[in-house]
Amino acid sequence: MSPDRPSTEEVRMLLQAVVIAIVAALAAIAVFGGLGRLRPEGWRQKEDEAAGTLVTDVIKTMFAFVFAFVVVTGMQHYNDARENTTKEASELMQVYWAAHGMPDPEHREIQGLVREYTSAVVNEEWRAMSDRRMSPRATATLDRLRDRLQQIEPRGDKMARMHDSALTSARNVSEARRLRALHAEQGLPGFLWIGLLVGAVLMICAPLLAGVQVTVRSVAMVGLLGAFVALAMFLIWNLNYPFGGGISVAPDAFRLITTRFSQVS
């Protein structure tokens, strides 16, 4: 699965960043070249290793900063999706429990729709979310559940309380599912991927900027650096979508309430 395609606003911001970077680079070169001629002879170095080391350190620091920011953002997105999924399953169980206190035929119909929706989410929708889609059957079943609840005319105070509870929980389920759909569709912003890719390329090229000689040891170190950068990108790739990557939210909360259905008549 590919990252989100950058939006028009993101492309515009990227172009602005490129222009700013080019202008800043040209200004830095001009200042460095101009002031370099005014420095005392004792301040000048015969070799440019210091400049290469400085640039390398800056590149490493910036890549580490961007990498840490992206990982924290991805983990926060993952945790939000998992907590929202748990909330949705909990509210769905509340609807099922409220129907437990209603007489037939409402008791049987509401619980049947809750079981049907849960089955559609676990068996169909979770696979569809890996492709950033939602299950039409789950959508239709949830709509039928809410419609049926709104059609109920309570008979007695106890049924009215159960009915109000079921309506509130059903609304919460619908809202949680809407957030789950957003989590399934939204990955890391495109500009972050561009920043990571540029930083990764600069990290691999950093030894050349530092003037490292090509030896067996330096080649081995560059190989290890390349492996580290690749693993870092692979980790972020798997954090990109909380329902579609290698590190993804499982439907454990829905499976758990499925076992509870058999314990609540």
Side-chain angles (χ1 to χ4, degrees):
M1 187 174 359
S2 60
D4 285 341
R5 181 174 299 176
S7 64
T8 303
E9 182 65 23
E10 290 175 341
V11 172
R12 185 178 67 84
M13 184 175 65
L14 175 62
L15 293 177
Q16 290 177 345
V18 170
V19 172
I20 292 173
I22 293 175
V23 172
L26 293 176
I29 292 173
V31 171
F32 178 76
L35 296 181
R37 298 178 180 180
L38 302 177
R39 290 181 300 176
E41 188 67 26
W43 290 10
R44 301 182 182 181
Q45 298 182 5
K46 297 181 179 181
E47 298 180 355
D48 60 355
E49 292 183 2
T53 302
L54 174 62
V55 172
T56 301
D57 291 342
V58 171
I59 291 173
K60 289 188 293 185
T61 302
M62 291 302 297
F63 180 78
F65 172 78
V66 174
F67 173 74
F69 176 78
V70 172
V71 169
V72 170
T73 301
M75 287 303 301
Q76 183 62 49
H77 196 200
Y78 171 85
N79 289 331
D80 290 345
R82 183 175 60 180
E83 291 176 4
N84 181 72
T85 297
T86 302
K87 178 183 177 182
E88 181 183 358
S90 177
E91 293 291 347
L92 195 61
M93 188 66 209
Q94 290 300 318
V95 176
Y96 195 86
W97 187 258
H100 173 71
M102 297 180 187
D104 283 329
E106 292 84 0
H107 167 90
R108 173 175 46 81
E109 292 174 353
I110 299 303
Q111 287 192 342
L113 288 171
V114 170
R115 286 193 297 268
E116 182 179 348
Y117 173 73
T118 305
S119 175
V121 168
V122 173
N123 298 321
E124 296 180 15
E125 191 154 74
W126 227 260
R127 290 194 299 270
M129 285 193 301
S130 64
D131 295 325
R132 287 177 282 172
R133 296 181 295 104
M134 303 298 283
S135 166
R137 186 166 79 92
T139 301
T141 304
L142 182 58
D143 290 342
R144 285 164 50 206
L145 172 62
R146 296 191 66 184
D147 287 343
R148 185 65 186 92
L149 285 170
Q150 292 173 355
Q151 294 170 0
I152 293 177
E153 296 183 0
R155 301 181 296 277
D157 293 339
K158 178 182 178 181
M159 186 176 179
R161 290 194 301 270
M162 296 296 101
H163 179 242
D164 290 342
S165 175
L167 277 175
T168 301
S169 295
R171 284 194 296 268
N172 293 338
V173 168
S174 182
E175 176 63 18
R177 184 172 186 269
R178 185 186 67 82
L179 292 177
R180 177 160 56 84
L182 290 176
H183 285 141
E185 294 175 0
Q186 296 177 350
L188 294 173
F191 71 89
L192 285 181
W193 278 104
I194 294 174
L196 280 171
L197 292 174
V198 172
V201 171
L202 292 177
M203 279 285 290
I204 300 300
C205 296
L208 295 176
L209 297 175
V212 177
Q213 295 182 357
V214 180
T215 63
V216 175
R217 181 185 177 188
S218 64
V219 169
M221 293 300 293
V222 171
L224 290 175
L225 177 62
F228 167 76
V229 172
L231 289 175
M233 299 296 290
F234 180 73
L235 171 64
I236 295 172
W237 178 270
N238 282 279
L239 280 173
N240 191 26
Y241 294 99
F243 294 103
I247 305 174
S248 59
V249 180
D252 294 339
F254 289 93
R255 293 193 180 109
L256 179 61
I257 65 171
T258 301
T259 62
R260 286 283 293 148
F261 290 161
S262 59
Q263 302 170 1
V264 180
S265 61

